[in-house]
Amino acid sequence: MSAAKRPDAAVKLAGGAVYGTDLEAPGMLWGALVLAPVAHGRLRSVDLAGARALDGAVAVGPDDLASLLPGGGGDPERPIFPRAEISYRSQPVAAVAAPTLETARRAARAVRVDAEPLGVVADLEALFPEWPGSEAERSPDIAAHVHARHGGVEAAFRDAETVVRETYRTASIHQVALEPHACLAEVRDGVWRVWTTTQSPFGVREDTASLLGVPEASVVVEGTWVGGGFGGKGASLLEPYALVLARAAGRPVRLALGYREEFLLGRTTLPAVVRMETGVTAGRIVARRVRLLLDVGTSLPGRDFATGYSIGFLLGPYRTPAFEVEGYAVRTNKPPFGPHRAPFAPQCVFVVESHLAHVALELGLDPEEFRAAHLWKEGDPTPLGQPVGPCGLAAAFEAARALARRWRAEAAPGQGVGIGAGFWSTGTGAGGEALARLDGRGLTILQGEREIGSGSVLVGLRAVAAHASGLSPARIQIEYADSSRAPFDSGVFGSRTTAALGRAVEEAVRGLLTRLAERMGTVGPVTLEEAGDGLVAVHRSERRSVEELLTPEERAAGGLEASGRHYGRAGSIDERRVVAGTFYPYTDFTGSVHVALVSVDRETGSVRVDRYAAFQDVGRLVDEGSARAQVEGAVAMGLGTALTEEAIWSEDGRLENPGLLDYRIPTLGEIPPLEITFLEGFRGAGPDGAKGLGEPPIIPVPAAVAAAVRAASGAHLTELPLSAERVARALKLL
Amino acid sequence: MTERRLVLTVNGLAASLADVPAGERLLDTLRWRLGLKGTKEGCRTGGCGACTVLVDGESSLSCLTLTHEVDGCAVTTIEAIASDPVGRSVRDAFEREGALQCGYCTPGFVVALTGLLKERGRSAPLEELLDGLQGNLCRCTGYVAIARAVRAAREATA
Ligand code: FES
Ligand code: FES
């Protein structure tokens, strides 16, 4: 096992790592939010008198913002407290702070919120019993609309020998990072400072500044250790409230969510409905139509990233001569939609894989053969007309089929084997920068992200710097500074950290090597080597001590510095295929193919995963231990999406299972033996051909499990999760 | 509510506590009165195991334990777990096997496994140890490395 010791293991194992939930300051108050009592309503009044009467308590509501915020209230489109209309249950309508958490909770309960209930929209299909037509574009219920087509789809469907139509439904799921959201805020001398558990200090800075209507430069965000993110900690959530309270109190304020609140107002992924239609002639796909209704809760208009991005995953990595895709982001009285590790891709891949397998079975074809025959090859156009780059998908599929054949031969009666295939593209975000500093003994990388657990910062960036410099990781330090001092980076999400921020690190290190080369009177290449405690710069046979190559000023200032930046977004799409909305090109193409062996209980419908294998295209393996850890974690999380996880929303917009006892994530005993194979050589957009890896390995899990369940039992499920109850119903046991 | 002082032995040191409300949880006493924040707060409802500590050597969920209930008891938290030889081998096994990512579940796992190993001793079958950790949730690692660490810690204590 090549698991390198993590540089953060010691502090975490000693209980010494300070997370957001551990934040505390002398003289601080404890904050609490007052949550809306209805999912939709006209707000008549928020009476804070009862809260303010409590000892040492501070309360802020909608009417206080004008006097507390320098610009008079922040973004009018996104007020932090609703002024007239409540749009989801658990929307914060006021905030309180007090010397103890007990008193703060009492103060929150003492706030009287008077709201007249209005009709609630919680169910996508009740809203659109018929599929939305063109008039829907102007509907206030539609937050975004995307539409693309190519290849004369009507004629292709008319001429097709067979057309198969199905409807799929996927569930609302929660990230369930073990650490809930938490922050500490202080406002002093015009500086709005917040310490917080976040995947994106700069994202929180930008968002918070705009929500509060203060200049970005006056907001300083300092990240803590993060107890898991998975997409839920990518944007601001509590920070604006904590800052407003701190401003009103004139003291630091700590604001943290209890786990129930974490479910109620954390950023969940919401349900979706997908209609799939596929035309086949002579065993070949001739036409596809995909329509998506995605619940985005109270997300604002224009936030169509989720829809435009998801749509691509619904077509899947399969050649399709004619297609039409159309997606609607639908507003409902639920909290704003949030990303969840590979946002919505596992659900989409479940839909497309299950559907195409179903099409094949309907036609009496082998479902794996059918998919393999249509799988993208390098150079094929994507539906939006972008040529597919180097991708290990086909090779992984091949390897997965060989393994599946072996497992099938060994399977007992009642067991079944299935394959799921998906792809991902390394995120770039808004780009990122890093600074490299070289002294006589080692290399320091200064950057703006905290380690959220995946290892992408402390292990990944370090490995990238080692690879680019020639030094061993032990000589490299990763340093973090708050948003006022660190170089900009857009965040730890989209599998982009090691891959995209890593490119900035790589460029910074190369900048240092170029400067050393100049000083050695050459144009390079120069690499670094360790010599005892010191370092030497090596060019061919010439070796110079790094210490001597630095100027006295540089030595006094801590070393020679160079910066790197990476704002790359590769690839472009054929805009002629776009009818409406925004579609996104792919940066690179990462294939993931999984094989599941499951048993289905013929009496209860419950599914047990007995064996599992993942074939993962990585471009270049940056650090094997971390890569394996990502696959292991993602597979477990994906098994939750596949089998048990479902946030249940009632018709009146209430979350019915806000807690870990009712929302079940996988436990230690539910993890099958897992075999992992990495495929190298299909170069990606990251440092020296690496690809982002945080998200890809979760993508095929529900698809692989569903295929195995069908093979084991004959049950064809069109809804996630594949709960025992749904399987039993499909098997007509209920 | 202030009828008496409580005396706990926390990580080997006597802690004398005044004015502890009857409803105060051991988790909050440790974290906010004694500043021992290595013990993590997750769900507060007994569903995640992040808050596990040893009470008189037995692993307990501090979010469900009232501080008054443990008056006179010895409490061990992650901060002192390595001063126990079993705790030390558990900690080392987690480090060696890379059995942590974000680390938020880690104190709970390390303390719970230490408790199990101390209670059931060297003869405890691996299955029993793994079973005893079913109440500890981890969202990052997929438990694969954790299971490896359990095996390694068991061998090291045997
Ligand atoms: S915090 Fe105690 S079990 Fe979750
Ligand atoms: S390491 Fe993050 S929850 Fe276990």
Side-chain angles (χ1 to χ4, degrees):
Chain A
M1 191 68 227
S2 70
K5 271 194 192 173
R6 290 180 58 122
D8 52 350
V11 66
K12 287 176 174 174
L13 281 162
V18 175
Y19 296 82
T21 46
D22 301 328
L23 290 164
E24 182 177 17
M28 77 171 187
L29 300 183
W30 297 70
L33 295 172
V34 179
L35 307 182
V38 295
H40 188 203
R42 206 176 325 280
L43 189 59
R44 290 208 202 93
S45 67
V46 178
D47 178 2
L48 303 170
R52 287 180 172 146
L54 293 174
D55 215 14
V58 174
V60 289
D63 298 335
D64 304 304
L65 296 180
S67 63
L68 287 171
L69 299 172
D75 186 345
E77 257 213 89
R78 298 193 295 159
I80 65 167
F81 298 123
R83 291 185 202 291
E85 188 180 335
I86 290 169
S87 35
Y88 60 98
R89 195 185 286 273
S90 79
Q91 182 174 17
V93 289
V96 298
T100 66
L101 183 57
E102 267 291 277
T103 316
R105 295 233 169 97
R106 250 191 309 137
R109 281 194 301 271
V111 172
R112 294 276 154 265
V113 181
D114 183 13
E116 174 196 339
L118 298 172
V120 173
V121 173
D123 181 355
L124 282 177
E125 289 172 279
L127 188 61
F128 292 108
E130 296 303 319
W131 209 261
S134 53
E135 78 294 343
E137 265 173 70
R138 283 180 300 278
S139 157
D141 299 321
I142 300 295
H145 171 224
V146 296
H147 186 188
R149 47 186 292 146
H150 177 67
V153 72
E154 281 83 8
F157 268 114
R158 208 171 40 236
D159 298 342
E161 268 172 22
T162 315
V163 177
V164 180
R165 295 187 182 85
E166 289 190 291
T167 300
Y168 285 81
R169 292 175 183 82
T170 65
S172 170
I173 54 174
H174 195 280
Q175 297 87 3
V176 192
L178 219 51
E179 178 203 30
H181 284 82
C183 67
L184 174 74
E186 182 184 53
V187 184
R188 230 182 29 207
D189 307 325
V191 178
W192 301 67
R193 183 179 284 275
V194 63
W195 294 263
T196 187
T197 174
T198 179
Q199 295 173 244
S200 176
F202 287 92
V204 169
R205 180 177 77 169
E206 183 188 343
D207 215 21
T208 301
S210 118
L211 286 165
L212 298 183
V214 302
E216 239 181 75
S218 65
V219 178
V220 179
V221 180
E222 181 159 345
T224 60
W225 287 104
V226 180
F230 311 111
K233 292 174 181 157
S236 75
L237 183 70
L238 299 180
E239 296 84 355
Y241 301 104
L243 283 164
V244 166
L245 284 168
R247 163 85 199 204
R251 294 162 72 169
V253 172
R254 172 195 150 88
L255 184 58
L257 294 182
Y259 222 90
R260 187 184 140 78
E261 294 171 308
E262 180 65 32
F263 270 98
L264 292 178
L265 69 154
R267 298 295 182 239
T268 50
T269 287
L270 294 168
V273 184
V274 186
R275 290 197 187 174
M276 302 292 275
E277 203 174 336
T278 299
V280 182
T281 298
R284 286 290 174 272
I285 296 173
V286 293
R288 309 252 323 262
R289 185 176 281 126
V290 172
R291 304 210 284 174
L292 163 71
L293 284 185
L294 180 65
D295 188 339
V296 293
T298 51
S299 295
L300 286 170
R303 307 233 145 168
D304 60 354
F305 181 79
T307 332
Y309 211 64
S310 305
I311 279 281
F313 294 109
L314 282 169
L315 283 164
Y318 300 106
R319 283 189 299 280
T320 303
F323 77 91
E324 175 166 38
V325 294
E326 190 163 22
Y328 291 93
V330 183
R331 310 184 74 191
T332 59
N333 295 118
K334 300 199 190 104
F337 172 97
H340 179 117
R341 197 176 200 164
F344 205 52
Q347 292 92 330
C348 292
V349 168
F350 156 75
V351 171
V352 65
E353 293 288 278
S354 303
H355 173 68
L356 292 183
H358 181 67
V359 170
L361 289 167
E362 289 286 287
L363 295 168
L365 303 171
D366 177 81
E368 283 154 23
E369 184 64 51
F370 182 67
R371 281 179 289 163
H374 291 89
L375 212 54
W376 282 345
K377 292 196 196 46
E378 192 174 335
D380 281 346
T382 66
L384 271 300
Q386 177 182 4
V388 173
C391 181
L393 192 58
F397 201 91
E398 203 48 41
R401 282 183 76 191
L403 181 71
R405 276 193 287 271
R406 278 210 306 283
W407 282 7
R408 273 187 196 115
E410 294 163 16
Q415 285 188 317
V417 178
I419 293 183
F423 75 100
W424 185 250
S425 169
T426 305
T428 55
E433 301 173 14
L435 186 83
R437 189 188 309 123
L438 182 69
D439 61 28
R441 293 157 166 270
L443 181 59
T444 303
I445 305 294
L446 177 71
Q447 54 79 52
E449 303 296 355
R450 288 303 302 259
E451 174 58 58
I452 70 165
S454 63
S456 63
V457 173
L458 292 183
V459 182
L461 295 181
R462 197 152 83 136
V464 167
H467 186 71
S469 63
L471 295 177
S472 68
R475 291 296 185 99
I476 295 162
Q477 290 262 5
I478 304 294
E479 221 176 79
Y480 165 79
D482 70 40
S483 67
S484 68
R485 292 178 296 138
F488 169 81
D489 185 60
S490 48
V492 179
F493 50 71
S495 306
R496 65 172 291 281
T497 314
T498 301
L501 179 55
R503 286 276 297 273
V505 169
E506 188 183 42
E507 188 183 290
V509 172
R510 286 197 184 137
L512 285 177
L513 298 180
T514 307
R515 304 276 294 278
L516 294 178
E518 283 161 17
R519 291 174 189 193
M520 292 169 79
T522 155
V523 289
V526 165
T527 56
L528 295 172
E529 273 180 23
E530 291 150 39
D533 275 351
L535 300 180
V536 288
V538 183
H539 172 64
R540 301 228 175 91
S541 60
E542 197 188 339
R543 302 170 63 84
R544 297 274 301 278
S545 138
V546 168
E547 187 76 26
E548 283 165 25
L549 288 170
L550 302 186
T551 65
E553 294 75 34
E554 285 162 356
R555 281 199 289 267
L560 170 66
E561 291 185 350
S563 58
R565 26 190 295 125
H566 181 66
Y567 285 81
R569 181 175 262 294
S572 62
I573 57 173
D574 178 357
E575 291 291 342
R576 288 168 306 182
R577 301 183 183 194
V578 176
V579 183
T582 311
F583 289 83
Y584 299 85
Y586 300 118
T587 310
D588 53 16
F589 295 83
T590 308
S592 314
V593 185
H594 290 186
V595 187
L597 171 74
V598 310
S599 312
V600 177
D601 185 317
R602 289 305 220 143
E603 258 140 48
T604 63
S606 82
V607 175
R608 195 186 63 218
V609 182
D610 299 315
R611 240 170 134 175
Y612 204 89
F615 294 87
Q616 183 59 52
D617 171 16
V618 292
R620 174 175 70 85
L621 203 49
V622 173
D623 177 81
E624 192 184 346
S626 308
R628 297 189 79 86
Q630 282 308 290
V631 178
E632 291 163 0
V635 166
M637 204 168 174
L639 290 176
T641 308
L643 295 172
T644 59
E645 293 184 37
E646 179 167 20
I648 299 166
W649 299 88
S650 72
E651 272 168 32
D652 62 347
R654 188 192 295 271
L655 181 59
E656 293 188 335
N657 54 340
L660 288 175
L661 301 173
D662 299 319
Y663 180 105
R664 288 241 309 92
I665 70 167
T667 61
L668 195 148
E670 292 161 356
I671 306 302
L674 170 60
E675 299 168 24
I676 300 171
T677 309
F678 293 115
L679 287 85
E680 288 196 276
F682 304 94
R683 290 177 65 83
D688 198 7
K691 290 173 173 173
L693 199 58
E695 290 158 311
I698 194 175
I699 293 174
V701 182
V705 174
V709 166
R710 184 161 192 181
S713 68
H716 173 44
L717 281 104
T718 54
E719 277 179 58
L720 280 182
L722 313 171
S723 60
E725 192 191 325
R726 286 202 179 99
V727 175
R729 230 184 291 125
L731 292 173
K732 311 251 182 313
L733 297 172
L734 291 184
Chain B
M1 90 190 207
T2 62
E3 75 281 8
R4 62 192 164 114
R5 293 182 85 81
L6 304 182
V7 183
L8 279 60
T9 307
V10 179
N11 296 338
L13 300 171
S16 164
L17 308 170
D19 299 328
V20 177
E24 183 166 310
R25 317 278 176 104
L26 178 58
L27 174 65
D28 297 320
T29 304
L30 292 170
R31 286 172 53 80
W32 302 109
R33 271 180 204 272
L34 301 174
L36 294 170
K37 294 192 194 148
T39 302
K40 292 293 168 240
E41 171 173 341
C43 64
R44 284 185 83 87
T45 52
C48 76
C51 64
T52 308
V53 298
L54 299 183
V55 175
D56 289 342
E58 227 181 276
S59 98
S60 314
L61 299 176
S62 65
C63 73
L64 297 184
T65 306
L66 297 175
T67 308
H68 277 262
E69 285 174 59
V70 296
D71 186 16
C73 297
V75 177
T76 309
T77 69
I78 185 70
E79 283 90 347
I81 206 77
S83 57
D84 176 285
V86 175
R88 169 146 218 114
S89 11
V90 170
R91 210 195 65 170
D92 292 349
F94 267 68
E95 177 158 13
R96 230 180 13 254
E97 299 298 338
L100 70 158
Q101 291 188 30
C102 82
Y104 205 76
C105 68
T106 310
F109 270 102
V110 169
V111 172
L113 180 57
T114 304
L116 283 168
L117 281 169
K118 287 172 76 85
E119 187 188 327
R120 314 214 184 152
R122 48 193 295 168
S123 55
L126 182 63
E127 284 311 309
E128 210 173 286
L129 297 175
L130 294 173
D131 230 37
L133 295 172
Q134 282 282 48
N136 288 73
L137 297 182
C138 174
R139 192 58 152 170
C140 298
T141 64
Y143 307 102
V144 179
I146 292 177
R148 245 181 1 241
V150 174
R151 212 165 297 134
R154 178 174 170 272
E155 275 156 26
T157 13

